[in-house]
Amino acid sequence: GLEADFAAAARLAETRGSALGTGVKLSLYALYKQAGFGDASAAEPSRFYPAERLKWGAWRKLAGISREAAMRDYVAVANAALGGGPPPAAGGDELDGDGLDAYEEEALE
């Protein structure tokens, strides 16, 4: 099920994620946090901590996305970037129009 796929994708990202680009890493970080904790609730980190501020901003852009959608998107992004698992099934497990594509494009610019 989705929980097992998410756990497998998280393990894959943990073991092979160091080779990923910054945009993909940010996407995976934000999706993982959204799936595990919901919307970002902490205050924006200080500008003196640019990496933390960037990660927080990526997570905050996913506000309102359900846990299940974040998990599905995490699995899709991790598998596409790292070559793990089967591709998402048509008709339900593809990226669901929640803004992830736009975020990824923005993060990679």
Side-chain angles (χ1 to χ4, degrees):
L2 182 57
E3 299 263 347
D5 291 345
F6 178 73
R11 283 191 303 276
L12 183 65
E14 183 178 354
T15 58
R16 295 180 27 201
S18 61
L20 296 174
T22 302
V24 175
K25 286 181 181 178
L26 277 173
S27 293
L28 289 174
Y29 172 85
L31 288 165
Y32 188 88
K33 295 291 273 189
Q34 188 70 17
F37 302 98
D39 294 346
S41 59
E44 182 174 14
S46 166
R47 69 182 65 183
F48 295 110
Y49 300 99
E52 294 304 315
R53 192 174 169 116
L54 189 60
K55 292 189 306 186
W56 179 86
W59 180 15
R60 182 166 177 167
K61 287 182 181 183
L62 299 179
I65 295 174
S66 72
R67 178 175 190 268
E68 291 76 19
M71 290 173 74
R72 273 195 311 273
D73 290 353
Y74 184 96
V75 170
V77 171
N79 287 343
L82 297 167
D93 286 342
E94 66 274 7
L95 298 181
D96 58 4
D98 58 19
L100 179 62
D101 291 329
Y103 167 72
E104 286 180 327
E105 291 171 9
E106 180 180 318
L108 294 174
E109 289 179 355

